[in-house]
Amino acid sequence: FAYPEVRVANQNWDGPMITSWIMQIMLSELLRVPTTIETSSPDRHHNFYDPRGRSDAAAATYPYEALRRAKEAGGDCRTVRSENNGEAGEYKSCANVFPMVNKVGQAEAMQELYNDGVIHQPRASGNADQYRWWIPKMYARKHPSLQSIFGIAGTGNPDNRRTLAELFERPTNWSAYCDIVSPDGCETADGTAARAPEDDVEGAKYFEDGLYAGHFRATDKNNCTANPETCTGHITNVQCGWATYVVPQAYHLNISVESDGNLSPNGGYSYSSVLEIYAAANATKSNVLVYWWEPDPLIEKYRGTDFEFVPIYLPPPTKECERHRVTADERCSENLEVQVGSPLGSCDAGLVPMVTPMTLEECDRGEVSASCSPAFDALQSFELPTIDLQQIYQYRSEGDGNPDGRLSVCRWFAENLDAFKQTAVPRTYPRQPRGESFYRPLTYFSAALAAMCMIAVPVCALACKKYQRTKVMIYAQVDFLLIILAGLFLVSIAAMLHSVAPSEGVCVSRRWFVAVGYSLELIPLSVKIHAINKVVQQSMRMRRIQMERRTLYQIVGGCILAVCIYLSAWTAVDPAKPRPKMTLTNETENGKYLVEVSTYCASSSDGWQIATSVYLLVLLLVSAAIVTQSRGLREEFNETRYLALMIYSHFVFTIMRLVAFLIGDGLGWTYAKSAVMSILLSLDVLITIGIYFLPKLLAVNKDAADNRDVLATTSTAETSRGSFNWRLGLGGTRMTENGNDDEVTGNDDPNAFNEIGVQDNAERGSRVTWSAKPVEGM
């Protein structure tokens, strides 16, 4: 299935990076949804299936602009391109989902995105981070008092300041060590540094295995003799954008520690620097105080060792404390008073739940959703509990030969595959397409019926041509009857095309043959009846009337041309094309639900087809109005009864086809809808022949003798190819015949028809006259 791509942001710490891989495996392998990883940089890569095994952290922790771009792009991040602006260049990130967002620390940002309609209400991701102050287990044993607020707070125990200053010295990076501590600038190896750093990147490191073991030293800030009121120990804090409360906690709880990292304004350290500092402490067996969270690979890495993380317990969190915590903006303020906030918000951080915001849209449940992507439902139900994330970290710390954790993720996913299928995979997924056969018994029946129409119409045309010299056919005007039959033949072809599997040519032809066919049938019929009505009306007013056949043909041709122009515009702008239709079944094959795939003809907009149906209905109403005006004609010309029945029949079938078009999907199969349309078209043709043409053909045999008498009384025979004259007159009226005035003699009664002459425009034209009886009601 052509599911739209889902793009997952990996963010820049282990939790979401691991989770993004699990999401990618679940969506791409279990549900066949194409999934990519967004790193917010064109130079960073984190695809689980990357052939080079790259595993880069994202360039941003919470790139919320990526969510906004995904929403603006309609959820399709493929349309968002990276663009270089100026020398620096700017990469436009785009993501449909963030695996983990701190619910507390990012509450304001989440609410803004939700209010703007960018994301759905963020749901719980299943895990929570526990932010705490930590010390190594070996020093917790030596100084058990450090594990509690009472052993580190200066309130009531001023000696705690000196204790912290002496225990927790400042970490020293490689470059500073060579410049300040090493007597020869690291020219020679001294057990701490094997050499001097080669560049600034190496110089900024706090630990490099085999090259720099790390170093902790007391600075002036640790000197309580010189600075008894301001000396502090060191705590390794994180960047202010994370959920850190070290500054207000240390300030309001009177704990004499501060962080000296290079990230302003809170002196925090980057993620990699924290890892290096703790590794340096372990290598040199130095005491260290860090602000960190679990679950995290760093904690799992040292579990069971002397440097296992041991928490320090601060005052427990309360609802009141949570309400008074500093916000993300306040944590990153340059103003220290703003950073420390209220003393009511200085409790322990406690559990911080993580949420998963996403921009994906839910499928419309009111429609058949066989082709609907399962991504939304899968991610809505996706959860990665803390204990499972810890398990993955533990596998990685055990050494799986793949330091980035790919093998650990694979191992964990395989162990939990059954649980994933039960909880994260939506019901009726995964799905497998199965082609549906267009040709079924109903289709064959519709084709046979269409073939019957295609035979019946030419047979009827031949019969009309054979008996064109009879009175019935002369009055009906054979030329117009043949045009009407040509329209019915086109409709018969349309019926056959609806019994053929869709293709681009078939889809377009169906629309053309239906519209042109009905127009070719109804427009000439209306023109003919209107002409007769006009002659009658003029004769009632004692006026002469002559109608050129060419004029009538031009009217018909002009109307058909207008229809063709509309159809040409339809074909050019929004042609009907074969489109797939998918119907979900309850059948399964190899554990996958089967989806019946069929094709049907449709334009992008249903408005074209609806407009065509409305046009045919209007044409029928106009025809009905014209027919109604002819109800007072003499019997030879009066076709009101048959025409009314025919128009009523057309009207019913047009409504039925419109209904089938609008609600035909409920028939269950595409072939059934197409077959029903074919049957309706065929029945419309057959019933039209039965109502309008069959009575005329039956009347031909019945009135054969009369027809011969009429032909025998023909007084003149002449060829007249340029005019089409009904000569209807009242007593004493002069009528025009080919430009000559003839005196029509007869009854002087103005309330009665005296004579009528009909001149046919065949190759051998004849002017036929006979006496007529008065018509009642005239």
Side-chain angles (χ1 to χ4, degrees):
F1 296 100
Y3 296 138
E5 174 195 304
V6 173
R7 191 165 297 184
V8 183
N10 70 323
Q11 301 172 264
N12 62 0
W13 77 95
D14 285 274
M17 291 173 69
I18 292 294
T19 306
S20 67
W21 276 348
I22 296 174
M23 288 180 172
Q24 187 176 26
I25 295 171
M26 177 190 70
L27 292 174
S28 60
E29 295 191 21
L30 295 185
L31 299 173
R32 303 301 179 186
V33 176
T35 309
T36 56
I37 306 297
E38 175 61 66
T39 62
S40 300
S41 170
D43 302 321
R44 303 191 183 201
H45 308 274
H46 189 67
N47 191 330
F48 182 80
Y49 307 101
D50 186 86
R52 295 166 58 183
R54 290 171 293 186
S55 175
D56 300 325
T61 305
Y62 297 121
Y64 293 128
E65 68 280 359
L67 292 175
R68 293 187 179 275
R69 288 197 187 98
K71 187 66 176 180
E72 293 170 359
D76 189 358
C77 285
R78 294 172 299 179
T79 62
V80 178
R81 301 174 301 170
S82 60
E83 299 179 357
N84 292 323
N85 298 324
E87 297 180 358
E90 179 183 355
Y91 175 79
K92 292 186 177 181
S93 59
C94 179
N96 302 111
V97 59
F98 284 7
M100 290 184 183
V101 173
N102 187 307
K103 183 179 179 180
V104 178
Q106 301 297 315
E108 293 180 358
M110 288 292 96
Q111 189 62 45
E112 180 180 353
L113 290 170
Y114 177 73
N115 292 340
D116 292 344
V118 176
I119 62 173
H120 300 276
Q121 186 66 48
R123 58 159 196 83
S125 65
N127 57 66
D129 287 347
Q130 176 74 68
Y131 281 86
R132 280 177 171 167
W133 295 28
W134 308 84
I135 57 175
K137 183 170 66 175
M138 64 179 297
Y139 286 99
R141 286 173 176 170
K142 292 180 180 179
H143 308 280
S145 62
L146 295 179
Q147 300 179 53
S148 167
I149 178 64
F150 305 109
I152 59 175
T155 304
N157 190 351
D159 293 337
N160 284 345
R161 174 182 289 273
R162 181 177 292 272
T163 300
L164 294 176
E166 293 174 352
L167 287 176
F168 301 112
E169 297 178 335
R170 263 69 184 176
T172 306
N173 63 35
W174 195 349
S175 180
Y177 175 81
C178 293
D179 293 341
I180 300 174
V181 180
S182 175
D184 59 359
C186 298
E187 290 284 339
T188 58
D190 58 6
T192 298
R195 58 171 175 79
E198 295 180 348
D199 51 36
D200 292 340
V201 175
E202 280 191 349
K205 289 181 177 293
Y206 292 89
F207 176 82
E208 182 66 31
D209 191 21
L211 295 176
Y212 180 59
H215 181 74
F216 292 81
R217 62 190 176 91
T219 67
D220 290 341
K221 290 184 177 182
N222 296 84
N223 190 344
C224 290
T225 301
N227 307 294
E229 300 296 329
T230 59
C231 63
T232 58
H234 182 268
I235 182 171
T236 304
N237 194 8
V238 297
Q239 55 190 301
C240 66
W242 293 8
T244 172
Y245 305 104
V246 168
V247 174
Q249 288 168 341
Y251 182 86
H252 293 296
L253 297 177
N254 196 16
I255 304 173
S256 301
V257 294
E258 63 177 316
S259 181
D260 288 345
N262 61 351
L263 299 180
S264 61
N266 67 335
Y269 292 87
S270 67
Y271 182 87
S272 59
S273 294
V274 176
L275 303 186
E276 292 166 4
I277 290 171
Y278 207 82
N282 178 57
T284 60
K285 301 306 175 186
S286 302
N287 200 2
V288 65
L289 174 63
V290 298
Y291 181 79
W292 207 241
W293 71 92
E294 64 173 341
D296 186 76
L298 181 61
I299 291 180
E300 296 301 326
K301 180 179 180 179
Y302 293 99
R303 193 179 297 277
T305 69
D306 287 341
F307 260 68
E308 179 178 328
F309 282 67
V310 174
I312 295 176
Y313 293 95
L314 303 181
T318 62
K319 283 291 184 180
E320 183 181 25
C321 179
E322 287 187 357
R323 287 196 299 270
H324 289 86
R325 290 193 193 280
V326 289
T327 65
D329 291 338
E330 292 170 340
R331 291 195 300 269
C332 294
S333 172
E334 296 291 340
N335 189 330
L336 180 60
E337 292 184 2
V338 176
Q339 286 188 48
V340 299
S342 168
L344 297 177
S346 60
C347 61
D348 208 345
L351 286 172
V352 179
M354 308 301 287
V355 293
T356 302
M358 62 179 175
T359 64
L360 297 175
E361 295 297 333
E362 184 178 10
C363 286
D364 187 353
R365 301 304 180 187
E367 301 178 358
V368 178
S369 56
S371 59
C372 176
S373 172
F376 179 86
D377 290 337
L379 292 175
Q380 276 289 89
S381 59
F382 175 84
E383 287 187 356
L384 185 63
T386 301
I387 191 172
D388 288 311
L389 194 55
Q390 286 177 322
Q391 183 69 67
I392 296 173
Y393 293 153
Q394 183 178 347
Y395 288 159
R396 190 167 73 174
S397 67
E398 291 173 357
D400 57 11
N402 194 210
D404 61 18
R406 277 183 170 86
L407 295 181
S408 300
V409 171
C410 277
R411 175 182 174 183
W412 178 87
F413 198 92
E415 292 173 350
N416 294 271
L417 180 59
D418 292 336
F420 256 101
K421 290 181 177 180
Q422 293 176 1
T423 58
V425 176
R427 194 180 66 84
T428 74
Y429 286 95
R431 297 173 178 178
Q432 178 176 312
R434 181 177 67 183
E436 178 192 30
S437 175
F438 182 84
Y439 297 102
R440 305 285 183 91
L442 185 62
T443 313
Y444 291 126
F445 173 76
S446 65
L449 199 60
M452 185 184 303
C453 293
M454 295 177 69
I455 295 173
V457 173
V459 169
C460 187
L462 291 174
C464 292
K465 191 67 176 175
K466 179 180 179 181
Y467 298 109
Q468 63 179 330
R469 311 307 304 163
T470 62
K471 181 175 68 176
V472 172
M473 293 302 171
I474 291 174
Y475 284 137
Q477 288 295 300
V478 173
D479 287 357
F480 276 84
L481 292 182
L482 293 179
I483 296 175
I484 293 170
L485 286 170
L488 291 177
F489 189 73
L490 295 182
V491 175
S492 301
I493 296 176
M496 180 60 73
L497 290 173
H498 278 81
S499 300
V500 178
S503 66
E504 290 193 5
V506 168
C507 290
V508 173
S509 299
R510 286 179 182 179
R511 272 56 177 175
W512 274 80
F513 279 107
V514 169
V516 175
Y518 277 109
S519 299
L520 203 57
E521 175 201 357
L522 294 174
I523 293 175
L525 182 67
S526 301
V527 169
K528 186 190 83 168
I529 301 301
H530 175 70
I532 294 176
N533 291 340
K534 187 174 181 180
V535 170
V536 172
Q537 292 170 4
Q538 295 300 322
S539 65
M540 291 292 293
R541 299 172 183 173
M542 306 293 289
R543 295 178 181 176
R544 294 180 300 178
I545 182 71
Q546 179 175 342
M547 289 188 177
E548 294 292 334
R549 184 186 299 270
R550 180 185 304 171
T551 302
L552 301 182
Y553 284 161
Q554 287 175 349
I555 294 174
V556 174
C559 294
I560 299 299
L561 179 61
V563 173
C564 291
I565 291 174
Y566 170 79
L567 292 172
S568 298
W570 183 358
T571 304
V573 175
D574 188 15
K577 296 180 180 179
R579 301 178 187 274
K581 177 188 176 185
M582 302 181 185
T583 305
L584 179 64
T585 70
N586 291 322
E587 302 177 45
T588 59
E589 183 177 301
N590 299 325
K592 299 179 180 179
Y593 283 84
L594 295 179
V595 175
E596 294 281 3
V597 181
S598 56
T599 55
Y600 67 100
C601 293
S603 298
S604 300
S605 171
D606 290 340
W608 298 95
Q609 182 63 41
I610 295 174
T612 302
S613 298
V614 172
Y615 155 72
L616 293 177
L617 290 174
V618 171
L619 187 58
L620 287 170
L621 292 175
V622 172
S623 300
I626 294 175
V627 168
T628 302
Q629 296 175 3
S630 65
R631 64 183 182 277
L633 288 179
R634 59 185 294 168
E635 182 179 355
E636 289 85 350
F637 288 93
N638 196 337
E639 298 178 319
T640 304
R641 181 177 61 178
Y642 302 112
L643 293 176
L645 285 175
M646 185 182 74
I647 292 173
Y648 178 76
S649 173
H650 282 325
F651 186 83
V652 170
F653 280 108
T654 302
I655 293 295
M656 292 174 68
R657 289 197 306 275
L658 182 59
V659 171
F661 172 78
L662 295 175
I663 65 173
D665 291 336
L667 295 173
W669 300 280
T670 302
Y671 84 89
K673 176 181 177 180
S674 186
V676 167
M677 297 290 281
S678 175
I679 292 172
L680 291 175
L681 290 170
S682 298
L683 290 177
D684 198 5
V685 171
L686 292 175
I687 292 177
T688 298
I689 292 175
I691 291 175
Y692 187 66
F693 289 93
L694 187 59
K696 296 184 184 302
L697 296 176
L698 293 176
V700 167
N701 293 326
K702 179 180 178 182
D703 298 336
D706 295 339
N707 292 332
R708 286 193 295 271
D709 293 340
V710 171
L711 293 175
T713 59
T714 301
S715 59
T716 61
E718 58 187 8
T719 299
S720 177
R721 308 182 66 175
S723 62
F724 171 55
N725 304 328
W726 281 283
R727 305 191 181 283
L728 300 176
L730 298 178
T733 302
R734 284 189 177 274
M735 308 301 293
T736 300
E737 178 184 350
N738 298 330
N740 299 320
D741 290 341
D742 293 336
E743 182 73 22
V744 180
T745 59
N747 193 346
D748 291 334
D749 184 359
N751 294 320
F753 280 107
N754 287 321
E755 273 189 356
I756 180 169
V758 178
Q759 179 174 326
D760 185 62
N761 193 27
E763 193 66 31
R764 294 180 58 195
S766 299
R767 180 162 53 84
V768 183
T769 61
W770 64 90
S771 297
K773 295 181 179 180
V775 180
E776 297 180 1
M778 294 292 289

